[in-house]
């Protein structure tokens, strides 16, 4: 699926991961300061093991990602929502979120953010009082 955002830019929203260049995605995330240390192989495994995902691209180059972990029944967790800095505030993240949310009807959808609260509130998310987390063993298994 694709969508024009003006300025003669056409963005493709890929829900199939077959054409993603994981090395390029890793490099782009790193240069945009959104890299959490996963190797290209770990990125691919993370996305392929997700319930649903979307990668926004311009001419085959990644400019956005979002994915969801879900049991398919009642609980879902959205992670890795990112838009390349030069393309922020153009509706790309919103469109990726809409693609994911359309696949989660009837589910409690949760996410964690500390810097985009207003964006998610516009999508209907409400702050919740508590969350907890833990890394089991060493961060990122070896692959």
């Amino acid at each position: 699926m694709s969508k024009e955002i003006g300025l003669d830019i056409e963005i493709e929203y890929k829900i199939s991961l077959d054409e993603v260049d994981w090395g390029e995605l890793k490099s782009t995330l790193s240069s945009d300061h959104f890299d959490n240390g996963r190797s290209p192989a770990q990125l691919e495994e993370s996305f392929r093991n997700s319930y649903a995902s979307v990668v926004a691209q311009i001419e085959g180059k990644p400019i956005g990602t979002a994915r969801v972990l879900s049991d398919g029944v009642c609980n879902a967790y959205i992670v890795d929502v990112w838009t390349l800095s030069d393309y922020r505030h153009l509706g790309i993240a919103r469109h990726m979120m809409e693609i994911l949310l359309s696949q989660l009807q009837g589910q409690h959808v949760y996410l964690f953010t500390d810097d985009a609260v207003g964006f998610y509130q516009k999508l209907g998310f409400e702050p919740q009082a508590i969350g907890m987390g833990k890394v089991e063993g060493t961060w990122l298994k070896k692959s």
Side-chain angles (χ1 to χ4, degrees), residues 9-140:
I9 298 173
E10 185 173 322
I11 298 174
E12 291 184 285
Y13 294 88
K14 303 282 190 174
I15 55 175
S16 168
L17 301 172
D18 294 338
E19 297 176 22
V20 175
D21 181 331
W22 300 102
E24 182 172 22
L25 179 57
K26 164 72 175 179
S27 176
T28 303
L29 289 168
S30 183
S31 67
D32 202 41
H33 309 289
F34 199 79
D35 182 14
N36 69 358
R38 287 173 289 182
S39 69
Q42 289 170 323
L43 276 171
E44 181 175 9
E45 184 176 358
S46 293
F47 276 74
R48 290 200 185 275
N49 287 338
S50 299
Y51 181 80
S53 59
V54 60
V55 176
Q57 298 179 330
I58 295 177
E59 297 178 353
K61 307 284 187 208
I63 61 155
T65 64
R67 64 189 184 98
V68 64
L69 311 174
S70 173
D71 60 17
V73 178
C74 61
N75 291 296
Y77 184 65
I78 293 181
V79 294
D80 290 337
V81 179
W82 160 78
T83 304
L84 187 63
S85 293
D86 290 344
Y87 294 94
R88 291 190 181 150
H89 307 289
L90 298 174
I92 296 165
R94 172 180 284 280
H95 192 64
M96 291 189 298
M97 289 293 293
E98 289 168 350
I99 290 169
L100 293 180
L101 291 169
S102 72
Q103 300 175 62
L104 302 172
Q105 296 301 308
Q107 296 188 47
H108 174 256
V109 182
Y110 189 79
L111 59 84
F112 174 80
T113 187
D114 56 5
D115 62 355
V117 173
F119 168 72
Y120 293 108
Q121 285 178 321
K122 289 178 186 174
L123 292 172
F125 286 85
E126 299 174 4
Q128 295 185 339
I130 188 166
M132 298 176 77
K134 175 185 175 186
V135 173
E136 186 65 31
T138 305
W139 171 248
L140 292 180

